[in-house]
């Protein structure tokens, strides 16, 4: 069974995300024109992001009511982090961000001002 990664605003450092699902969809389409945002699931206010990847697709979930992204622990790991960080660089570039997983509970901080290449360095294989 695979674990999940979570990316969220660092609320302890004053982080918050004020973008709307429509803004998220526009940013997604701008960077990945063949991607799709579907939702919301009315029970959880979740949106599914489906992005083409090689000969398949990858799925990420955005929980709008709790402001976090979730995706499977699946190689290559830099792809979903690239998607999330690229969207956040456009939609919430000054907000402090943290990420964690549901299998170790380790917490990592992401400084969006470092740029996409530096942000992805820990996730590249």
């Amino acid at each position: 069974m695979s674990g999940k990664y979570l990316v969220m605003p660092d609320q302890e450092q004053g982080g918050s995300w004020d973008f709307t699902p429509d803004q998220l969809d526009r940013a997604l389409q701008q960077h990945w024109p063949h991607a799709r945002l579907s939702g919301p699931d009315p029970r959880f206010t979740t949106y599914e992001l489906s992005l083409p990847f090689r000969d398949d697709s990858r799925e990420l979930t955005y929980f709008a009511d709790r402001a976090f992204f979730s995706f499977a622990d699946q190689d290559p790991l830099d792809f979903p982090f690239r998607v999330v960080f690229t969207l956040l660089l456009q939609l919430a570039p000054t907000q402090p961000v943290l990420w964690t997983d549901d299998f170790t509970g380790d917490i990592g901080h992401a400084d969006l001002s470092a740029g996409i290449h530096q942000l992805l360095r820990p996730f590249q294989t």
Side-chain angles (χ1 to χ4, degrees):
M1 182 171 179
S2 181
K4 298 248 185 232
Y5 280 89
L6 311 171
V7 179
M8 64 209 75
D10 187 346
Q11 294 176 342
E12 288 184 9
Q13 298 298 317
S16 67
W17 294 342
D18 297 325
F19 54 84
T20 67
D22 286 338
Q23 290 170 312
L24 178 63
D25 189 32
R26 284 192 299 274
L28 182 67
Q29 293 300 311
Q30 180 180 349
H31 295 281
W32 293 276
H34 299 291
R36 183 172 48 89
L37 179 75
S38 60
D41 174 322
R43 195 169 126 201
F44 299 111
T45 318
T46 59
Y47 294 82
E48 295 297 322
L49 291 76
S50 179
L51 293 102
F53 181 76
R54 297 182 180 156
D55 293 331
D56 198 9
S57 67
R58 290 288 172 92
E59 308 294 323
L60 293 84
T61 304
Y62 177 61
F63 292 79
D65 60 340
R66 296 202 173 154
F68 74 91
F69 289 91
S70 173
F71 50 87
D73 177 16
Q74 186 177 11
D75 285 332
L77 196 53
D78 64 327
F79 179 73
F81 275 103
R82 176 180 300 279
V83 171
V84 171
F85 290 153
T86 299
L87 294 171
L88 292 176
L89 280 165
Q90 182 169 340
L91 298 169
T94 62
Q95 298 301 308
V97 175
L98 60 86
W99 60 269
T100 189
D101 58 54
D102 67 357
F103 45 93
T104 68
D106 294 340
I107 296 175
H109 296 272
D111 178 3
L112 296 177
S113 68
I116 194 70
H117 297 294
Q118 187 68 24
L119 287 166
L120 294 177
R121 189 164 286 156
F123 310 105
Q124 295 172 331
T125 54

